[in-house]
Amino acid sequence: MDTPERNQITSTLSKFEDSPVFNYINSLSPIKPVKSVPISQTFNSLSFSSPPSVFTSPHVSCLKESRFLRRHNPLGTSKPKVPSEDVIKVHSSEETLADSTRAHHNSSKLEEENTGKGISVRDASIELSREHIKFSDELPQALKYNCGSPGFDPPPCGDEANSLLELPGEAATDVGYVQEGCKTDSVEVEVRLQEVCQMEPKSEGPDCYWDSLIPDALDMLIFNSPGDAEAFKGLMHKPLASSIRLNEFMSMLPHSTINNGRKMHIVDSDASGSAPEIEDHCSELMTATGTNQTQDNFANVALVTSNSNEKANDQLVSATHRTIRRRCLDFEMANVQRKNSDENSNTGSSTSESDERNVANEKQLLPAKRNGDLQRGILQGIGLHLNALAALKEYKGIQIEKLSSGRQLSLPSSTSLQISTSQEHQNLSLVPVSSERELDPSDNGVQPAEDCSQPSAYMAGEDFNQNSPKKKRRKSETPGETEGCKRCNCKKSKCLKLYCECFAAGVYCIEPCSCQDCFNKPIHEDTVLQTRKQIESRNPLAFAPKVIRNSDSVPEIGDDPNKTPASARHKRGCNCKKSSCLKKYCECYQGGVGCSISCRCEGCKNAFGRKDGSASVGIETDPEETEATDKGVTEKALQKTEIQNTEDHPDSATVATPLRLSRPLLPLPFSSKGKPPRSFVTTISGSALFASQKLGKPNPLWSQAKHFQTVPDEEIPDILQGDSSPITCIKTSSPNGKRISSPNCDLGSSPSRRGGRRLILQSIPSFPSLTPHP
DNA sequence: GAGTTTGAAACT
DNA sequence: CAGTTTCAAACTC
């Protein structure tokens, strides 16, 4: 921490320059000559306070390469390249400055892009820091290698022991990185990468230097998404002297590692005056990172560069100060945030989102995934199983921001959730970290998750914050049903089949479950995972939300709740024969969605919407449906429908359009059951709905149903007017088709019914998987 | 709470 | 793919 180290560093630097290795490296690098000189300068100028501790992060360790390989290889990065020697060089201070400015611009561009994607930069400070960042590159290295914190011995390069930063880690492995300002991280990283590329091995023994440097740089290079990588490339291509090197680096870069990216913390400061501040920053970083980091995966590097520019250093310092802390916190989480932010800001590609979500979800929910694949990359961010998210939310009071548009809702239930706020992120990250087990077993986490699974999307809103899981349960737990949590009662399936609601929801069984011989517990993670894989192999969508909601889109909100029925569809469709889709036996009904073409139900009277409309519905008369509210009525209808069914062709639409029928029916189901929809969301928009909904509720269906109820009464008529015919969906599928109804169909239908909610279609993409149909 | 009904999931 | 069996939730009493 003390300045004394500076001298050491500088001396060491000079040594290295002299060292044969250094020379060798220089010779290797094509560009070398020019930069080498400046480098030395920069270092000299640099005042190293005691950042070292910061750098001690595991990354730094010489292990790097091995680490690098391990980490990145899977990603596909070719490590061999380790361009390190050839490529990297130091820029003159001037160049660095110029570069920095460029980089800054680039970074800003990136930010813009990101923001465009939905990523918002939260901290203004970040930019400031970025500006200076470039310069900082060199220092970090020096710090890493040379400097130890005062009390610290700089172990030979690579010892992990070195790193003060060492992350507490492992616990965090899966989850646990807390991040705040995550969004900006990617950009910063990119910028830094450039810088890194420019850097020369100055300070430490070349051995360590390159090894450590390159890997680190690579780490930094890792991007969350391919898109980022490309963006980064763009930066790299700058006309900088080091451009070549950058390119090389780029080539080396892994395409897109999701979560692996490491961040470097860069602090700009003048060599002269900033040192103390830098130290402070470093220390902060250290502390911050230390808490959050995970073992191997992360290494935080604080880079301190000296600038000729003195301007703004102070500002920078202060700004960076803050920034750094955040950055420290941010790691993989950043990815998540981005995603979230992206979603929030824009309705970005739904597919990607869904995918990500799914991944995350799986993590938490099923521990199994964590172990194997998810590894840090995926998991790290946040394993958000949909279920898990929901659970988490409730659990920690995390808020999930709804997309402005409300797309979330539209998205397939599971995927839709997103977390927006930094706080949220933190919470999430933490939660998972805590361990799934805790969540699951404990109770809280798991149950909610399940509930959330479908409804999860709905859940998005406020509710999460509000309710602790317990609260949810309490709320949800109504005698008859556990709104908040589903608890299985499996006896023979060992809770390893889709029969088990918990398993199907991707959550562990918890105490409240009455299951026997349950294997769906953290203890049996492996078994659970295996089983899950098997099931997924049979049916990739087995764990996908059963109800897909297309439109959450804002427009609908205005329209009304009616939309929801139309927009949402059961992925496979039901096969009801006796329940007339008026009981929870019917998954469509249970999910609060209308039956669709994909349904093979007989005598469909689904209050949320009959399949096609053409279906047996015809016979049913409105009056009956109106009655439907009463159980007796519904049953009657069923009987009639059955009778009719024998006679009626499902396709042939009788007088009444399904919609009409549906309306009156809508209220019924709930009333009949006597389980009024819980809190019911007035607004249709997914966001609104969800928000209103209690997160804790296990049954998404109800929530949905509620929506429907509210909406249908008023709006339905309108809709009917416009689109009385259910026509919208063509019965493309054979009656049997179990497959998920294509979103398109759904959409089509929905709009027609709704009369103009075409927007819904947009949301559709989120469920690509669901749309198997040609 | 026990028994029945129901339809999805799993199996053949 | 169709038919049958198994299963657990939903429902009824």
Side-chain angles (χ1 to χ4, degrees), chain A residues 23-38:
Chain A
N23 292 338
Y24 174 76
I25 294 166
N26 288 341
S27 64
L28 292 177
S29 68
I31 299 169
K32 59 178 178 182
V34 172
K35 299 185 176 178
S36 63
V37 171

Side-chain angles (χ1 to χ4, degrees), chain A residues 587-617:
Chain A
E587 290 189 352
C588 295
Y589 178 85
Q590 188 175 27
V593 300
C595 291
S596 62
I597 297 167
S598 60
C599 293
R600 292 171 295 166
C601 52
E602 296 177 358
C604 177
K605 293 182 180 180
N606 189 332
F608 297 102
R610 296 179 182 177
K611 82 176 170 183
D612 294 353
S614 64
S616 61
V617 173

Side-chain angles (χ1 to χ4, degrees), chain A residues 107-279:
Chain A
S107 64
S108 64
K109 290 179 180 178
L110 291 176
E111 288 178 353
E112 291 177 354
E113 291 177 355
N114 291 341
T115 56
K117 291 177 181 178
I119 296 167
S120 62
V121 174
R122 292 178 183 174
D123 292 349
S125 64
I126 294 166
E127 292 180 353
L128 293 176
S129 64
R130 291 179 184 172
E131 291 177 352
H132 301 283
I133 290 165
K134 291 180 179 178
F135 301 84
S136 63
D137 293 348
E138 297 169 353
L139 288 177
Q141 293 174 344
L143 292 176
K144 291 177 181 178
Y145 302 95
N146 293 341
C147 309
S149 60
F152 185 95
D153 280 348
C157 349
D159 292 348
E160 290 177 354
N162 293 352
S163 63
L164 295 178
L165 294 183
E166 271 198 9
L167 307 179
E170 327 93 350
T173 58
D174 292 348
V175 178
Y177 310 147
V178 175
Q179 298 169 339
E180 285 183 355
C182 299
K183 292 177 180 178
T184 58
D185 293 347
S186 64
V187 172
E188 293 175 353
V189 171
E190 292 176 354
V191 172
R192 293 167 190 168
L193 290 175
Q194 290 178 341
E195 293 176 352
V196 170
C197 294
Q198 295 173 345
M199 296 171 63
E200 286 182 357
K202 317 162 188 158
S203 59
E204 291 216 337
D207 310 346
C208 297
Y209 176 81
W210 289 108
D211 291 347
S212 65
L213 175 61
I214 294 169
D216 289 348
L218 292 178
D219 290 346
M220 293 176 67
L221 293 178
I222 295 166
F223 296 92
N224 295 339
S225 65
D228 291 347
E230 290 181 357
F232 179 75
K233 278 188 178 181
L235 292 177
M236 296 302 291
H237 290 290
K238 295 176 183 178
L240 296 177
S242 62
S243 62
I244 294 169
R245 297 163 193 167
L246 293 176
N247 291 341
E248 292 177 355
F249 259 102
M250 293 302 295
S251 64
M252 293 176 66
L253 294 179
H255 301 301
S256 61
T257 59
I258 295 169
N259 292 331
N260 292 342
R262 296 175 185 175
K263 292 181 180 178
M264 294 180 69
H265 297 282
I266 297 168
V267 175
D268 277 1
S269 62
D270 286 353
S272 64
S274 61
E277 292 175 350
I278 292 169
E279 290 178 354

